[in-house]
Amino acid sequence: MIKRFPPDVEALRSYDTPTLANGLDGLTDRPTNSGYTRPPIHAITPGMPPMLGRAVTATIRSESVWPTREERDESMIGLFNLLASSQEPTVLVVQDLDGPEGSGCLWGEVNCSIALALGCEGVVTDGLVRDIPEVSATGFGYIARGVGISHAYVRVEAVGDVVEVAGATVRPGELIHADRHGALVIPEEAIDRLVDSSESVIAREQKLIGWARSQEFDPRELRQRRLDH
C-alpha cells in the first residue's frame, strides 16, 4: 500500500533529525529540550533511511500472562486497522508499560511485514524488537530500547492514546521524523516553514565550518564568528 505526503511535507525526508530540530528553533513556543526521543532508544536497523509518518500510537505489556492466544492476536487488529485507515504514511510509536523490565518483542518479521504492507514506515518504541536481518532487508525502520529474543506474553493494551516514549510525548496523528539519531515530533504549525528554516541552518553552519577548515581560520575571530553564526 503506497502512501505519500504532499511535496512540501515529503521534502522533509531530505534532512536529518538534528537539522530539523535546529530548524524548529523559533518556529514554535515548544521548549528546545522537548519533542524528541532520548537514550537508551536508538536505531537498531543499520543504514535505516529516514522515516516520515503520522504517529499511530499504542501501549504494550509482556510480563503478565495473557488470558488466551486468541485475545493476544486480537489485540493487534485495532492497531492494524488504524494503520490501514490512514491516508498518509505512518510511524508506529509504542510505549512499553513494563518499562525496562519488559522483555517481550511485539515487533518481528511477521508484524513488521503486515505493518509495511499497510503503509507504515517503521516503529519507535521503548520496548524491544527482533528478527533484525529479515526486517532490515524490508526497509522497515526500528528505533527501540534494544534487541530481544521472545515475544513473551506481549500484547497491545490500548491504541490511539497519548504515549510517552523515551522522553517524548506523542499524540496520535502528529508528524514524526526519525533516523539514526532518534525520533522528532514536528509541530503542525511549523511544517510549512521548516524547510526554509532548515536551509538557513545549513547555510550558517556550512559558512562557519568552511572557515574553521580553511587556511583563513584565526582563533582570534572565533568569538565574533560564533556570534554571527
Side-chain angles (χ1 to χ4, degrees):
M1 184 177 295
I2 298 175
K3 300 178 180 180
R4 293 188 176 88
F5 285 109
D8 58 334
V9 180
E10 194 69 28
L12 296 173
R13 290 186 194 276
S14 301
Y15 303 90
D16 58 26
T17 48
T19 298
L20 293 179
N22 287 347
L24 285 171
D25 288 351
L27 295 187
T28 74
D29 294 331
R30 188 174 76 183
T32 57
N33 65 342
S34 63
Y36 56 88
T37 59
R38 306 181 183 202
I41 79 165
H42 58 286
I44 302 294
T45 42
M48 183 186 77
M51 295 188 284
L52 185 69
R54 295 291 178 182
V56 171
T57 61
T59 55
I60 63 170
R61 290 192 187 278
S62 64
E63 294 308 299
S64 54
V65 178
W66 64 68
T68 67
R69 171 68 179 269
E70 289 74 20
E71 288 181 14
R72 185 201 73 177
D73 291 343
E74 183 66 23
S75 74
M76 288 296 297
I77 299 303
L79 189 55
F80 289 146
N81 285 342
L82 281 180
L83 294 178
S85 66
S86 175
Q87 300 303 305
E88 297 179 311
T90 52
V91 171
L92 284 156
V93 184
V94 181
Q95 179 181 356
D96 190 338
L97 297 176
D98 291 324
E101 304 303 315
S103 67
C105 299
L106 183 66
W107 304 106
E109 186 178 10
V110 173
N111 281 342
C112 289
S113 295
I114 295 170
L116 188 64
L118 294 172
C120 181
E121 303 208 344
V123 61
V124 177
T125 181
D126 54 4
L128 303 179
V129 296
R130 63 178 180 171
D131 298 340
I132 309 305
E134 294 85 357
V135 172
S136 296
T138 69
F140 192 84
Y142 269 168
I143 294 178
R145 170 165 53 91
V147 176
I149 295 174
S150 173
H151 54 66
Y153 299 113
V154 74
R155 75 275 189 180
V156 175
E157 287 283 279
V159 298
D161 292 341
V162 177
V163 295
E164 298 279 342
V165 174
T169 301
V170 181
R171 296 167 179 79
E174 289 189 304
L175 186 63
I176 305 295
H177 184 287
D179 62 12
R180 69 184 68 186
H181 301 93
L184 176 69
V185 181
I186 300 176
E188 202 71 22
E189 67 269 26
I191 292 175
D192 61 350
R193 296 175 288 162
L194 188 50
V195 167
D196 288 343
S197 181
S198 298
E199 286 295 331
S200 295
V201 167
I202 293 170
R204 294 195 304 271
E205 289 183 346
Q206 289 305 309
K207 182 178 180 180
L208 185 59
I209 291 168
W211 170 72
R213 293 174 178 175
S214 74
Q215 296 298 317
E216 297 176 0
F217 176 76
D218 185 341
R220 294 170 296 183
E221 299 178 23
L222 187 54
R223 182 176 182 277
Q224 188 59 50
R225 293 271 185 167
R226 288 287 302 177
L227 289 174
D228 293 342
H229 169 70

